[in-house]
Structure formats: C-alpha cells, structure tokens
Amino acid sequence: MSAQAATAQNLSFVLEGVHRVKFEDRPVPELRDPHDVLVNIRFTGICGSDVHYWEHGAIGQFVVKDPMVLGHESSGVISKVGSAVTKLKVGDRVAMEPGISCRRCEPCKAGRYNLCEKMAFAATPPYDGTLAKYYVLPEDFCYKLPENINLQEGALMEPLSVAVHIVKQANVTPGQSVVVFGAGPVGLLCCAVARAFGSPKTIAVDIQKGRLEFARKYAATATFEAGKGPALENATRIIQENDLGPGADVVIDASGAEPSVHTGIHVLRPGGTYVQGGMGRSEITFPIMAACTKELNVKGSFRYGSGDYKLAVNLVASGKVSVKELVTGVVKFEDAEEAFKEVKAGKGIKTLITGIDA
C-alpha cells in the first residue's frame, strides 16, 4: 500500500476531465439518514461506462462538469450503521446496488424504480462513484453475501443483476432457445442466466474469436462468429447451424451494434421476443417490416429493478450461475488508471480494482 493510501481518510479515484484522473483524499461520508450504512469498499469492477467517461467525458446528456469519483460495480464490508438499520451489522460483507431512487415518483411507486425520474446513480454525473475507501448507501441497497460468495464475486453482482433484468424482460422460460449478441461481460452473464432459467439452446454471437471461445467454455451451448455479410444471411446461418426451426424464441442484444440489431430481428421466429440491453449509437436504422410482419415483442432493458440483485445473489449462492471465471485481472487501487487503459484496450473479461481496508 502506498504512503498516501495508508494515511488517507477516504482516498478516492477522481475523474477531472478526458484522460485526466487523480487520487484525492476526501472526507469520510456521513450517514445522512438513520437507514444508511457506511461501506468500506473492497473490490470494484471496471464497467464500459466508466471507461467511456474517462475516454470522452460524457455519455449522452450526462456530462462530467465537475470532478467525479468513478466506479459503480462494488462489494465491501459494513463499517458503520445508522440507528434505524436492522438487517445489517458492522463486519457484514455486502454487494452494493449503486443507484438510489427517490421512492416517490410514479415509476418508483409502480415498482419500476430503475426508471426513477430522480435516480442518483454512482459515477453518473453529478453523483460520485464507489472507487473510494468509503461509500454510503441505504441499508436496503446492500445485499448481505452468503459465506460461499467471496467479495470478488460480490463485485460481479452488479453486471449479473443487469443480465438478470434483461433475461426477465425477455420472459425466458424452460425449453426456449436464446440467441445473445455480444460476448462481453453482460452478454456472457445473459447466457448464464438464460441457462439457469431453463434454456437448452443458448447461442453467443460475436465478432471476436477469443470471446466466443470463452463463451463456449463458460455458459453458451453454441457460438457463432458474425460475418460482414447481410444481416439476413447471418440470421439464416444461425438458424440453420443451430437447428432453430422457424427461428429463435428469444434474442438479446448486449452489443449495441447496429448489424447485431438487424441480425437479431431476422433470427427470431414469428411471435418471438427481442430485448435491447446493449447501448450503441443513439439512433440507428431498424428492420421495422420484419418486426411488424412477425409480430415481435420488442423491449428495452435498463439497469436492474426490484428483486434483481436478490435473485443474482441467490443464483450464485445456489451454484446455478458462476461468476468467478469472468475475473481475468485484479489490480491495486493505486494502479487504477493502468487498469482503465487495459480495459480500453480490450484485455480480459472483467478487471477488478482492490479497495483499501479500513
């Protein structure tokens, strides 16, 4: 541990602007509500959105105008609890859900708090993230980890919850075939969750051979390397090579790539379900005729909602989904910037940054 980390109250990894980061000692955050807990962060995964802010300083309308702590895929140990906290105690190991909803708007009242109009989400401007020694969350946004889930796996509960939400949006049921476009962390986890939900055919599609090889060993029953040809041609090949009959029951796009969207619509059977989980360009062309004539169910998916984190933890605790294989690199807190560079270069599947023990 560096001298700075050893003496700092709350050392934080702060983004100041494009490619401009620094380590800054900030005050230990106070418990603002009697239901809050203080978490000593132990592991944080690097997400594509973190890298995008570091690379571009903005995602859509979310622009980094003031220095912002990065990170939102974290696990940690409870250091302090508020007076009204009943389910957690100091020393408990937890996975952290990093978005705090207002609990009052119509989406919140309807049980869809991921669509909250005033969501305060970690490392989304103007809110600081979790790449710090300490972070405060409400008790009910922390999920106690069973003994058979370690803190590294706990940090993977965030992307796993994204995958759980996507697969739930698709209403995957036992016996259904599922084609997943994009074999990054979320796409891989969608394959794993679809398998856990009873899919006997879960096909991963990507343009990178290495990722497809990993997908086949990890959770996909088959893979397909997408060519540069017409979408309909790729879709026909996927159907034929995997004996999908009239087409797949469910398609999940975890890539955000326009060719994947086109191929996905064409690979579906009539009446099938398409879920968009990956984010790409804000506007693309869309095969609307095929979507109409096949009466497809087309849905979006955004972050995670009620019950998703709890289910994610249960899936791992029960052995139905494994996440430890996705951790391909662990770096020290003081090497955080180097980790961002490696993720940007496409190295590995999921890189974790260690926290600073209390």
Side-chain angles (χ1 to χ4, degrees):
M1 184 187 299
S2 68
Q4 184 184 17
T7 59
Q9 290 186 82
N10 184 32
L11 195 64
S12 305
F13 186 62
V14 178
L15 177 68
E16 293 186 296
V18 174
H19 290 170
R20 288 193 296 116
V21 290
K22 68 176 181 179
F23 292 102
E24 180 181 303
D25 189 12
R26 294 188 167 195
V28 176
E30 297 289 332
L31 302 185
R32 299 177 295 272
D33 184 278
H35 296 279
D36 283 350
V37 297
L38 181 69
V39 186
N40 172 215
I41 307 296
R42 294 297 176 85
F43 289 99
T44 299
I46 300 176
C47 173
S49 66
D50 294 316
V51 175
H52 199 90
Y53 281 122
W54 172 70
E55 185 81 3
H56 302 287
I59 296 178
Q61 75 268 32
F62 298 105
V63 180
V64 179
K65 296 178 181 177
D66 299 303
M68 178 184 79
V69 180
L70 290 164
H72 63 271
E73 300 181 2
S74 292
S75 64
V77 177
I78 302 296
S79 290
K80 186 178 179 181
V81 300
S83 59
V85 172
T86 58
K87 295 179 181 178
L88 293 172
K89 64 183 185 302
V90 173
D92 282 346
R93 302 170 314 118
V94 295
M96 301 162 61
E97 182 173 350
I100 304 171
S101 54
C102 76
R103 308 175 192 264
R104 293 179 178 86
C105 66
E106 284 303 317
C108 282
K109 289 181 176 180
R112 303 180 74 187
Y113 67 81
N114 57 313
L115 305 180
C116 175
E117 298 164 3
K118 296 180 180 178
M119 175 67 77
F121 198 85
T124 297
Y127 304 105
D128 286 320
T130 57
L131 266 172
K133 186 175 182 179
Y134 293 108
Y135 192 81
V136 166
L137 273 176
E139 173 189 25
D140 57 320
F141 284 89
C142 292
Y143 300 82
K144 189 174 178 180
L145 295 174
E147 288 301 316
N148 64 339
I149 299 181
N150 63 40
L151 283 162
Q152 286 194 11
E153 294 169 304
L156 271 293
M157 292 306 104
E158 199 276 348
L160 178 56
S161 296
V162 171
V164 164
H165 191 71
I166 291 170
V167 176
K168 282 169 65 175
Q169 283 288 88
N171 294 318
V172 173
T173 55
Q176 287 190 318
S177 57
V178 180
V179 179
V180 179
F181 288 82
V186 170
L188 291 165
L189 288 166
C190 283
C191 290
V193 175
R195 292 285 297 278
F197 278 31
S199 171
K201 286 186 179 181
T202 306
I203 301 134
V205 182
D206 205 290
I207 58 173
Q208 295 185 28
K209 268 191 173 68
R211 293 213 160 182
L212 291 175
E213 288 169 6
F214 185 96
R216 189 68 178 84
K217 293 174 186 174
Y218 176 61
T221 60
T223 59
F224 181 84
E225 186 177 353
K228 292 184 178 179
L232 191 54
E233 185 179 298
N234 277 324
T236 301
R237 284 179 55 208
I238 293 170
I239 291 169
Q240 292 175 346
E241 290 178 16
N242 293 283
D243 193 24
L244 294 177
D249 296 305
V250 171
V251 161
I252 291 166
D253 179 67
S255 74
E258 187 170 339
S260 296
V261 176
H262 289 199
T263 306
I265 293 294
H266 289 303
V267 87
L268 278 165
R269 65 166 172 80
T273 296
Y274 177 92
V275 178
Q276 187 64 44
M279 291 189 182
R281 291 190 292 114
S282 58
E283 293 186 11
I284 62 169
T285 60
F286 183 79
I288 193 167
M289 187 68 75
C292 288
T293 57
K294 290 199 283 187
E295 280 201 357
L296 300 181
N297 303 298
V298 179
K299 297 181 178 181
S301 185
F302 187 54
R303 293 176 180 157
Y304 21 72
S306 182
D308 293 336
Y309 252 80
K310 183 178 179 181
L311 179 54
V313 171
N314 288 340
L315 285 171
V316 175
S318 65
K320 292 179 181 177
V321 169
S322 177
V323 295
K324 59 181 180 289
E325 295 89 344
L326 272 64
V327 179
T328 50
V330 181
V331 303
K332 296 177 181 178
F333 191 84
E334 50 260 44
D335 296 328
E337 186 174 8
E338 193 58 38
F340 271 70
K341 291 176 182 176
E342 290 190 2
V343 174
K344 170 62 181 172
K347 295 181 181 179
I349 302 296
K350 179 60 69 175
T351 299
L352 301 183
I353 297 171
T354 58
I356 303 167
D357 291 357

